[in-house]
Amino acid sequence: MSSTTTHVCLTASVENEATTMHTPTLRPVSKLPDVGTNIFTVIGQLTYQHQAINLSQGAPNFPCDPKLVELTAEAMRAGHNQYAPMAGVLSLREALAHKVETLYGHTYHSGDEVTITASASEGLYASISALVHAGDEVIYFEPSFDSYAPIVRLQGAKPVPLKLTQPDFRIDWDELRDTINPKTRMIIINTPHNPSSQILDAADLDRLAELTRDTDIIVLSDEVYEHIVFDGNKHHGVASHPELAQRSIMVSSFGKSFHVTGWRIGYCLAPAALTEEIRKVHQFMMFSADTPMQHALATYMQDPSTYLGLSDLYQQKRDLLVSLLQDSPFELLPCAGSFFLLAKFGHFSSLSDSDFVQRMIRDYRVSAIPLSAFYTDGTDNRIVRFSFSKDEATLRAAAEALCSMKG
Ligand SMILES: Cc1ncc(COP(=O)(O)O)c(C=O)c1O
């Protein structure tokens, strides 16, 4: 029988002939043979090794509001330490439904349309695995967050990456129209976008609604940076588009909004029929998300300034980094949302973006992520991604080193 049909391959390890013991080594047939340690881990290790300033990771290096920590401790002291309800703590689901209705206009019923997940990552996984079947196609846009394609592949489905246009990282709607076919089960969008930091506008959503009208395509909308939109622009997500909201799942994350990426709490908002399927996966994957944090977040969110102030906070950081890098050799690309800034270097270095980042870490002690890491085909436009979710001292120190860079 072949290893493919048995799904494991047992090989005998006989390195030492003197020992007659044959130790069988279990070699599973990988479902993701080409996936190795991800780029964030590799760059993280290099950053640590060279004691570089970390502008690679999308995690804040400043603390969350102490009040949030205190509310969590209070919830723990009050005994909220056992399993939360599978769908999430009701007060948090109600707070979310209220927030989304107020900000975006769509009413999600807290009972059967709001689910608290153990991070946005889990929300993405639960949504895709609940709704995408083997043989289906899922369209998404590159450069992209790294989890979409592997999750699709794990369902036996086909990820179909379309490239965002250069230089402005927009969706090519005509290409999308030409790519949609009867096998298309899902389209994944992400706004504000990681890594390009571009945002969709109302006309984009209209176009998406038009292209999916009269189909059974589900839209999975990754909106983890929903509260980080700059220059007075509004966030346009699926909950602000009545037609799209009927066929969409909005996934978001408390980690990004409240500077607690380690807490692993996110949420999925979707019409009841979609939510029912998503919860079937969620209940067997995590059953529920952490209890005390959910209670704390529900109370904390009662004050809308906790999330409405985020755009200002990050816009100041963006503006600071952009102004500090004016004297650097980089060409900075426009940044409309999220906490990432793209920078071109091809005019002063002929290195590949990966080699360039390694050199930056080694010689200038600043880390970033090469943009090619966000493409399945490794497209290299000689661009790096900096994260500005950092305190002022870190941004200043990093910019000083980057300004001294030579080709
Ligand atoms: C676009 C995007 N989606 C999802 C996630 C995952 O969010 P979480 O940390 O809540 O799993 C991230 C995290 O970096 C992200 O950038």
Side-chain angles (χ1 to χ4, degrees), residues 58 119-122 124 145 148 190 194 222 224-225 252-253 255-256 261 264-266 340:
S119 75
S121 298
E122 197 239 330
L124 292 168
F145 185 61
Y148 309 147
N190 169 214
N194 174 15
D222 180 344
V224 300
Y225 303 103
S252 192
S253 169
K256 305 292 181 183
T261 57
R264 318 309 293 139
I265 315 251
F340 301 111

Side-chain angles (χ1 to χ4, degrees), residues 2 19 22 48 55 93 100 109 122 125 149 188 197 204 209-210 236 238 248 259 271 302 359-360 379 383 401 404:
S2 78
T19 59
H22 286 218
Y48 177 75
L55 298 195
R93 285 185 279 142
V100 169
H109 188 252
E122 197 239 330
Y125 198 100
I188 305 177
S197 77
D204 289 318
E210 188 192 308
H236 292 277
V238 288
S248 301
H259 322 308
Q302 299 304 324
R359 180 170 159 245
M360 211 166 73
T379 293
I383 295 174
S404 71

Side-chain angles (χ1 to χ4, degrees), residues 10 30 35 53 73 185 227 242 277 292 313 331 378 380:
L10 294 175
S30 177
V35 172
I53 299 170
R185 168 73 43 243
H227 297 303
E277 296 307 313
L313 175 89
E331 182 194 328
D380 181 356

